[in-house]
């Protein structure tokens, strides 16, 4: 309007009344659709930011969309602060002729200039939204897994944001960083495939075939996340296991107990959860089998059981929601969960 409609109005009219009348028609038409378009644009950007915050790995995605949404809404305060007085003067002139032709033309030109500046706000919003959208793409690295070196092409931003191990390997002055390639000879390609799917989707309940992950798979994924320094992933996995324990759906192979204890250190939250589960869901067959495959787990469980008996009626289930963060979550920075994660907080629902 400022670069096309207003110059045409100013060039075609010398009568102040007709000039104001034409401006008023243009203003009324714009005021009917402008606020709606601004609101829709802001909502779209903010909704995209919310979705990106919950699902994407690169923080610039949600930050870019959020900034675009906020800047879009800046149209409203800009209008109030800078344009309201000019609008009022011209609308008042439309109701009754009190200003000269020179004054009216000056107001229209002033409005055109201020409106032109206002039109720059959506341009800035678009640039911010584009910045966020570009975060959805980016550098891809190759991870070669297993002795057969099964290749996995994964976004660099995903790995470096979700894993201290990959962040160190891919951002430092290492060979892996310059080549964009890491070899994980000792890891299982199938398990790594599930791990990658889960960190992309932030859903630790389903495998690549859409089937529910077993308790055994959860334990193996937890140990892989522990190896890669993926703290947030460990907390989500442990919450799924807690949910299973709460619903007595914690069926697990005896050998998995041994696998957990062979691949974790004393004090590991997964060890604690398994010991707590055994102590509270006492099962003689489990205890007998653990003597051979995971004797330390049996010892830990008996210690917990002894403490449970000493507390009597005051004893509470340790994997209950209200003590989850204290008992099982990992926070290397010493903080705790701002809000405790419910057992089924991750997407989907384990069975």
């Amino acid at each position: 309007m400022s670069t096309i409609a207003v110059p045409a109005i100013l060039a075609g009219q010398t009568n102040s009344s007709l000039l104001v009348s034409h401006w008023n028609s243009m203003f009324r038409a714009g005021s009917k659709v402008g606020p709606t378009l601004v609101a829709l644009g802001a909502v779209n950007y903010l909704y995209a930011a919310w979705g990106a915050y919950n699902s994407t790995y690169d923080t610039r995605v949600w930050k870019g969309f959020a900034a675009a949404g906020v800047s879009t809404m800046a149209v409203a305060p800009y209008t109030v602060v800078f344009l309201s007085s000019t609008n009022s003067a011209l609308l008042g002139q439309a109701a009754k002729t009190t200003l000269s032709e020179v004054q009216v033309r000056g107001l229209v030109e002033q409005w055109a200039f201020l409106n032109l500046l206002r039109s720059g706000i959506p341009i800035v919003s678009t640039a911010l939204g584009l910045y966020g959208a570009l975060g959805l793409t980016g550098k891809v690295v190759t991870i070669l897994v297993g002795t057969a070196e099964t290749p996995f092409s994964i976004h660099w931003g995903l790995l470096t944001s979700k894993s201290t191990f990959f962040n160190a390997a891919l951002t430092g002055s290492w060979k892996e960083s310059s080549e964009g390639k890491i070899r994980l000879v000792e890891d299982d390609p199938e398990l790594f495939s599930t791990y990658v799917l889960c960190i992309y989707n932030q859903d630790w309940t389903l495998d690549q075939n859409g089937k529910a992950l077993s308790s055994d798979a959860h334990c193996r994924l937890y140990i892989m996340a522990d190896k890669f320094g993926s703290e947030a992933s460990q907390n989500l996995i442990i919450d799924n296991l807690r949910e299973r324990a709460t619903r007595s759906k914690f069926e697990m192979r005896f050998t998995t107990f041994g696998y957990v204890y062979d691949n974790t250190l004393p004090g590991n939250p997964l060890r604690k959860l398994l010991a707590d589960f055994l102590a509270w869901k006492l099962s003689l067959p489990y205890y007998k089998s653990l003597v051979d495959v995971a004797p330390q787990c049996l010892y830990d469980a008996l210690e917990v059981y002894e403490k449970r008996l000493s507390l009597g009626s005051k004893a509470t289930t340790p994997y209950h929601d209200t003590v989850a963060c204290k008992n099982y979550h990992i926070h290397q920075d010493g903080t705790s969960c701002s809000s405790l994660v419910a057992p089924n907080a991750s997407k989907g629902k384990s069975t």
Side-chain angles (χ1 to χ4, degrees):
M1 287 190 291
S2 296
T3 57
I4 299 177
V6 172
I9 293 173
L10 291 173
Q13 294 295 336
T14 57
N15 185 283
S16 61
S17 297
L18 290 176
L19 182 60
V20 170
S21 177
H22 286 307
W23 174 88
N24 187 53
S25 298
M26 179 186 64
F27 175 82
R28 297 296 183 186
S31 63
K32 289 180 180 179
V33 297
T36 301
L37 294 177
V38 169
L40 287 175
V43 169
N44 284 335
Y45 280 128
L46 293 176
Y47 181 76
W50 177 80
Y53 180 80
N54 288 290
S55 61
T56 58
Y57 54 85
D58 194 334
T59 58
R60 74 168 175 171
V61 177
W62 74 264
K63 288 180 179 179
F65 288 147
V70 172
S71 64
T72 300
M73 292 188 293
V75 168
Y78 178 92
T79 301
V80 172
V81 174
F82 297 103
L83 274 166
S84 57
S85 59
T86 305
N87 290 342
S88 298
L90 286 170
L91 290 172
Q93 179 68 7
K96 55 182 179 178
T97 303
T98 57
L99 300 176
S100 67
E101 179 185 335
V102 174
Q103 289 175 311
V104 171
R105 291 181 69 88
L107 285 172
V108 173
E109 288 173 350
Q110 178 179 318
W111 182 90
F113 174 72
L114 293 174
N115 184 63
L116 181 63
L117 294 180
R118 181 174 61 175
S119 66
I121 296 176
I123 296 175
V124 172
S125 300
T126 300
L128 291 170
L130 179 60
Y131 170 80
L134 289 175
L136 295 172
T137 62
K139 181 180 178 182
V140 174
V141 296
T142 300
I143 310 298
L144 303 173
V145 184
T147 54
E149 296 194 341
T150 304
F152 292 86
S153 296
I154 310 170
H155 285 93
W156 175 89
L158 172 68
L159 292 178
T160 56
S161 65
K162 297 296 183 183
S163 162
T164 56
F165 168 81
F166 288 116
N167 182 65
L170 294 170
T171 59
S173 55
W174 306 100
K175 177 182 178 181
E176 291 82 358
S177 179
S178 60
E179 291 183 349
K181 185 180 296 184
I182 294 178
R183 289 173 173 81
L184 302 174
V185 181
E186 298 179 354
D187 290 292
D188 175 34
E190 184 175 353
L191 183 66
F192 187 78
S193 176
T194 302
Y195 173 82
V196 171
L197 176 69
C198 290
I199 59 174
Y200 263 114
N201 297 335
Q202 284 302 287
D203 181 353
W204 297 88
T205 61
L206 303 175
D207 64 13
Q208 57 267 42
N209 299 315
K211 296 181 179 180
L213 291 170
S214 65
S215 297
D216 302 275
H218 274 85
C219 289
R220 292 179 179 274
L221 283 170
Y222 184 94
I223 291 171
M224 179 169 279
D226 187 23
K227 173 183 176 180
F228 295 150
S230 184
E231 178 183 293
S233 300
Q234 289 177 262
N235 292 340
L236 288 173
I237 295 169
I238 210 80
D239 284 331
N240 285 342
L241 287 170
R242 289 194 303 107
E243 191 264 349
R244 286 170 172 261
T246 303
R247 296 192 297 117
S248 298
K249 295 288 186 180
F250 204 66
E251 297 87 355
M252 198 160 65
R253 297 186 182 94
F254 302 128
T255 53
T256 299
F257 286 89
Y259 179 82
V260 170
Y261 271 74
D262 288 341
N263 291 276
T264 57
L265 297 174
N268 185 279
L270 184 55
R271 282 193 179 194
K272 179 171 176 54
L273 180 63
L274 296 185
D276 288 342
F277 174 75
L278 289 174
W280 283 84
K281 304 291 183 180
L282 187 60
S283 174
L284 189 58
Y286 264 111
Y287 275 42
K288 288 181 177 179
S289 300
L290 289 175
V291 171
D292 296 323
V293 296
Q296 184 60 47
C297 180
L298 177 58
Y299 178 79
D300 292 345
L302 291 174
E303 276 195 332
V304 176
Y305 186 69
E306 182 181 8
K307 182 179 179 181
R308 172 189 172 186
L309 292 178
S310 67
L311 292 174
S313 60
K314 295 181 180 179
T316 57
T317 310
Y319 39 82
H320 190 270
D321 295 353
T322 56
V323 292
C325 187
K326 176 183 177 181
N327 286 342
Y328 307 112
H329 283 188
I330 299 174
H331 299 284
Q332 298 293 350
D333 57 3
T335 61
S336 60
C337 296
S338 56
S339 59
L340 294 176
V341 182
N344 57 350
S346 59
K347 297 178 183 178
K349 188 174 182 180
S350 51
T351 55

